[in-house]
Amino acid sequence: MSNLLSAEQSEYWSELAQTYVWKKKWDNLISGDFHKADVKWFNGAELNITENCLDRHLENRRNKKALIFEPNNPNEPSSFLTYGELHLSVCRFANLLKSKGIKKGDVVCFYMGMTPELMIGILACARIGAIHTVVFGGFSPLSLRGRLEDSKAKLIVTHDGAYRGDKLIQLKAMVDEAIEGLDSVETVLVVKRTNNEINMKGGRDYNYETVIKSAELYCPPTPVEAEHPLFILYTSGSTGKPKGLLHTTAGYMVHVGKSFKDVFQYKENDIFWCTADIGWITGHSYMTYGPLLNGATTVMFEGVPTFPTPARFWEVVEKHKVTHLYTAPTAIRSLEKFGHEIPDKFKMSSLKVLGSVGEPINEEAWHWYHKHVGKEKCPIVDTWWQTETGGILISPMAGLTKLKPAHATLPLPGIEPCLMDENGKEIKDLVASGNLCLKTPWPSLARTIYGDHERFIQTYFSTYPGYYFTGDGAKRDSDGYYRITGRVDDVINVSGHRIGTAEVEDAINEHPSVIESAVVGLPHPIKGQGLYAFVIPVDGVEDSEALEKEIRETVNKIIGPIAKPDLIQVVEGLPKTRSGKIMRRILRKIVENEIESIGDTSTLLNPEIVEKLIAGKKELN
Ligand code: WTA
């Protein structure tokens, strides 16, 4: 037995693991610790996750729908794949990857719109022990290039173009730009979707529809070690470039499968719709692996909530008789804006459970969701977790946990959160507020930052030695319920997407007229948080619409549209300490309109700047 876990925890995880299919059972449950950040699970075991997602369902669920695809345009028919068909498609895609030289341990990148080939493709990687890394289509070619350089992906799967609402995104052209001169990428597979004109480079680019034709129909699952990498997913941190969180096979599978079942109380004929993009962890864990591990029917939606009208979500719910809707507060708020009359027109009688993820849900949005979508009969599971945690850690279990609006409530079985005070000590009082940590390991924690284990230790395990630090603040009430209050570091949660302030500042500073910048979170009625940029221009450059536009364009080019600042204030200086450090706390207070609590500024190098910043503050219109 391990001294990392209690006897109950060890028993819980071992018994749970028995419910999966293994090629070889583990020799010991867990090793390593949080100090070295080298925790490993199910040592000595071998398995293939796709055998658990697909093969084992074939006997009883071969003709059951595994995936329902709802296209961007409602006039285009939806389609589905049964477990039998999905299995076949994954086998063929896996054979295609093999024929292009992809082997166990190679990295394959996906830069695609949301169509079934994306899900098939990542499962095909898992089938042969290749590592998938999905890059959200909203990132720019330069961002994609950075991720390709970091992951050394040999093959990219993309679309000619992707539909998003009324937009057509030229993905293949963006890939061409991203990989210009990048030798590590040997092959590009292009799935046709939008039929826009594209360039194909001989010997490198292949038409998926053509090459898949010769792929054999069965591909045996490659057994991999428990700790074999399953995927890399990039996410933003408070400093530096995005980090590639590496998840491994067995631990991820064990927790993700069970948490799906527990949180959503999934039953055999339920239809589960997670609205996230597979480019984010939610799309990995609760659109793909979690549902498939449970033999569930999962819905994949290509489009956006407001296209062609803000009734689209409700139409999709009714059309596919969705029982579980799992979405983000930002989507709820963006639909709330159009009025409750819209969802009120829909009965949505199939719905049983609603879910929320990605950012704190404010009480107003919670009640709107509960009343107008769930018709006051569906529990809302407010699920707290992170890219790093692999799966949900704190959440109600639908119908079992007594709900409190805007509270993620209680930890799932086996999970042990705690709160830390400002002296770095664990707070033992029940009612408390502090920084959220995890005391004991759980199987689906990311194992490292790809290629930079030191950064992994630094980021998550050095602030509170012996604990995993989440970067979030939280409150705990007299019921032991957790309420997540948001990030306590320099990560901003824009529409549920994590954006690092340093990354955006680096991008803004690339603009030739900018000397320095500072970005802080802006309270935003729909996005939750937006980005507010203070920018110091070079001498002689004045604030102008043109400058702001150019700065936004620079960020768009370097990171992508999701990181464009909402407001830009051109300033002559930033509040700095005598050692030259920007006082972000002051900037945050200004942007949050909490001028009274700015506190003493006399120790600043340039205290006079604060008044000027306040006077020139911009507002959302
Ligand atoms: C935030 C998304 C409040 C939190 C799964 C976390 C939440 C970050 C919730 C991770 C929630 C996620 N309530 N905040 N229910 N869920 N967050 O990596 O700040 O994209 O640290 O993973 O989102 O974002 P990520």
Side-chain angles (χ1 to χ4, degrees):
M1 206 187 71
S2 146
N3 57 3
L4 290 171
L5 303 176
S6 66
E8 292 78 32
Q9 281 174 316
S10 299
E11 194 180 315
Y12 173 74
W13 294 118
S14 330
E15 278 190 10
L16 171 56
Q18 311 279 356
T19 63
Y20 293 88
V21 179
W22 303 81
K23 277 274 186 298
K24 183 169 170 279
K25 287 274 162 76
W26 53 98
D27 304 319
N28 68 325
L29 180 69
I30 184 170
S31 65
D33 63 44
F34 271 174
H35 290 279
K36 290 198 288 304
D38 61 350
V39 179
K40 294 191 167 48
W41 287 80
F42 308 109
N43 296 300
E46 286 182 15
L47 74 158
N48 186 289
I49 194 170
T50 68
E51 209 176 350
N52 283 278
C53 288
L54 301 169
D55 304 59
R56 71 164 160 162
H57 304 309
L58 293 181
E59 195 182 326
N60 298 321
R61 302 191 178 101
R62 183 180 287 274
N63 297 317
K64 175 177 175 174
K65 285 177 189 167
L67 172 65
I68 296 176
F69 173 62
E70 173 66 24
N72 180 60
N73 182 339
N75 298 324
E76 195 185 312
S78 54
S79 57
F80 65 86
L81 289 170
T82 62
Y83 270 91
E85 289 163 340
L86 183 58
H87 179 264
L88 175 68
S89 309
V90 169
C91 282
R92 298 188 74 195
F93 203 132
N95 284 326
L96 169 58
L97 291 175
K98 279 198 210 164
S99 76
K100 293 292 167 214
I102 298 301
K103 297 183 300 295
K104 183 180 166 195
D106 286 342
V107 178
V108 175
C109 174
F110 293 81
Y111 187 62
M112 300 179 77
M114 288 277 287
T115 72
E117 290 81 6
L118 173 53
M119 190 182 290
I120 295 166
I122 64 174
L123 293 167
C125 288
R127 188 82 177 165
I128 59 172
I131 306 164
H132 55 80
T133 183
V134 184
V135 177
F136 175 58
F139 284 113
S140 70
L142 268 172
S143 279
L144 172 62
R145 187 182 180 94
R147 285 153 171 78
L148 291 167
E149 282 170 346
D150 190 75
S151 65
K152 312 270 178 324
K154 287 170 77 173
L155 186 147
I156 303 184
V157 190
T158 190
H159 275 122
D160 47 357
Y163 295 122
R164 268 188 89 70
D166 53 9
K167 293 199 195 77
L168 192 164
I169 314 204
Q170 305 258 356
L171 290 179
K172 173 61 168 65
M174 290 160 83
V175 168
D176 291 342
E177 192 183 330
I179 63 175
E180 176 79 45
L182 194 70
D183 294 336
S184 50
V185 178
E186 296 165 7
T187 312
V188 180
L189 287 179
V190 186
V191 180
K192 253 208 177 69
R193 177 63 182 129
T194 50
N195 289 311
N196 49 307
E197 213 172 296
I198 53 172
N199 289 320
M200 295 291 279
K201 186 170 167 186
R204 185 194 75 184
D205 301 353
Y206 297 89
N207 231 316
Y208 171 81
E209 287 73 16
T210 317
V211 286
I212 195 75
K213 283 198 187 111
S214 47
E216 286 198 33
L217 305 187
Y218 181 67
C219 173
T222 303
V224 301
E225 315 77 76
E227 288 291 338
H228 183 69
L230 178 63
F231 63 86
I232 303 168
L233 193 58
Y234 287 85
T235 188
S236 293
S238 41
T239 56
K241 285 195 184 318
K243 38 195 183 192
L245 272 315
L246 181 81
H247 280 281
T248 59
T249 308
Y252 176 81
M253 171 181 82
V254 167
H255 180 63
V256 165
K258 180 63 160 45
S259 55
F260 173 80
K261 199 160 184 235
D262 280 349
V263 168
F264 298 104
Q265 293 293 307
Y266 164 79
K267 302 280 170 338
E268 184 62 39
N269 292 314
D270 290 344
I271 310 282
F272 188 85
W273 180 21
C274 162
T275 69
D277 190 289
I278 295 187
W280 311 111
I281 190 70
T282 309
H284 283 60
S285 301
Y286 299 106
M287 181 186 314
T288 307
Y289 290 108
L292 298 178
L293 285 166
N294 286 280
T297 302
T298 184
V299 177
M300 176 190 249
F301 175 44
E302 187 184 25
V304 296
T306 48
F307 179 82
T309 74
R312 187 66 192 278
F313 264 21
W314 325 131
E315 285 163 5
V316 174
V317 166
E318 293 210 330
K319 179 170 172 189
H320 297 296
K321 305 205 167 36
V322 169
T323 56
H324 292 65
L325 174 64
Y326 189 32
T327 194
T330 188
I332 299 164
R333 288 189 299 262
S334 75
L335 295 172
E336 193 182 338
K337 191 178 77 181
F338 295 96
H340 60 80
E341 296 75 14
I342 300 178
D344 287 351
K345 283 192 208 113
F346 295 82
K347 280 209 180 75
M348 295 188 264
S349 54
S350 55
L351 279 178
K352 298 200 291 193
V353 176
L354 301 176
S356 172
V357 61
E359 50 177 318
I361 180 166
N362 48 310
E363 292 195 26
E364 196 194 337
W366 194 98
H367 287 291
W368 192 87
Y369 196 27
H370 188 248
K371 181 162 183 206
H372 300 289
V373 183
K375 317 295 182 195
E376 293 178 330
K377 66 178 178 52
C378 302
I380 297 180
V381 289
D382 179 358
T383 64
W384 174 85
W385 57 298
Q386 312 177 293
T387 305
E388 293 84 346
T389 69
I392 299 168
L393 298 192
I394 304 181
S395 170
M397 295 201 213
L400 300 178
T401 313
K402 194 168 166 286
L403 301 177
K404 231 180 248 181
H407 285 68
T409 74
L410 297 169
L412 293 184
I415 306 298
E416 221 180 332
C418 60
L419 297 174
M420 311 302 271
D421 67 17
E422 56 272 24
N423 304 316
K425 292 266 170 309
E426 190 182 328
I427 309 174
K428 301 286 181 185
D429 300 341
L430 181 59
V431 178
S433 105
N435 285 352
L436 182 65
C437 284
L438 278 305
K439 262 171 100 146
T440 45
W442 66 100
S444 67
L445 173 64
R447 298 298 190 257
T448 193
I449 292 175
Y450 194 64
D452 197 351
H453 196 64
E454 204 33 55
R455 185 174 178 202
F456 185 65
I457 298 176
Q458 271 305 319
T459 312
Y460 306 108
F461 300 96
S462 68
T463 318
Y464 305 106
Y467 296 79
Y468 166 81
F469 175 42
T470 63
D472 281 323
K475 291 183 175 156
R476 192 169 49 213
D477 69 11
S478 54
D479 291 325
Y481 276 21
Y482 286 86
R483 176 177 194 152
I484 314 297
T485 46
R487 302 289 307 191
V488 294
D489 55 8
D490 289 320
V491 171
I492 302 180
N493 204 324
V494 180
S495 302
H497 302 152
R498 281 163 64 169
I499 311 233
T501 50
E503 231 183 301
V504 183
E505 289 161 8
D506 286 348
I508 293 176
N509 298 349
E510 289 289 311
H511 189 283
S513 304
V514 174
I515 298 184
E516 195 178 10
S517 61
V519 172
V520 295
L522 162 76
H524 191 287
I526 289 170
K527 298 178 177 182
Q529 283 186 297
L531 299 173
Y532 192 107
F534 295 91
V535 171
I536 308 179
V538 295
D539 266 354
V541 171
E542 300 275 304
D543 189 2
S544 68
E545 254 178 49
L547 175 66
E548 288 184 21
K549 196 165 163 230
E550 278 175 36
I551 290 174
R552 285 199 179 89
E553 201 29 58
T554 307
V555 175
N556 185 31
K557 193 163 175 306
I558 295 175
I559 306 177
I562 58 174
K564 283 199 269 189
D566 296 271
L567 293 173
I568 298 175
Q569 181 178 352
V570 174
V571 297
E572 59 188 75
L574 292 164
K576 289 196 175 163
T577 61
R578 292 188 191 274
S579 58
K581 218 174 133 235
I582 299 175
M583 288 293 284
R584 291 173 178 281
R585 194 182 52 80
I586 294 181
L587 297 177
R588 273 188 224 117
K589 295 281 177 204
I590 295 175
V591 167
E592 289 164 7
N593 277 332
E594 290 185 8
I595 314 293
E596 339 54 74
S597 57
I598 285 182
D600 182 21
T601 55
S602 61
T603 56
L604 290 176
L605 193 62
N606 50 349
E608 72 291 344
I609 197 72
V610 176
E611 284 306 316
K612 291 188 184 166
L613 297 185
I614 295 171
K617 194 193 156 219
K618 301 247 170 124
E619 302 291 339
L620 287 167
N621 45 25

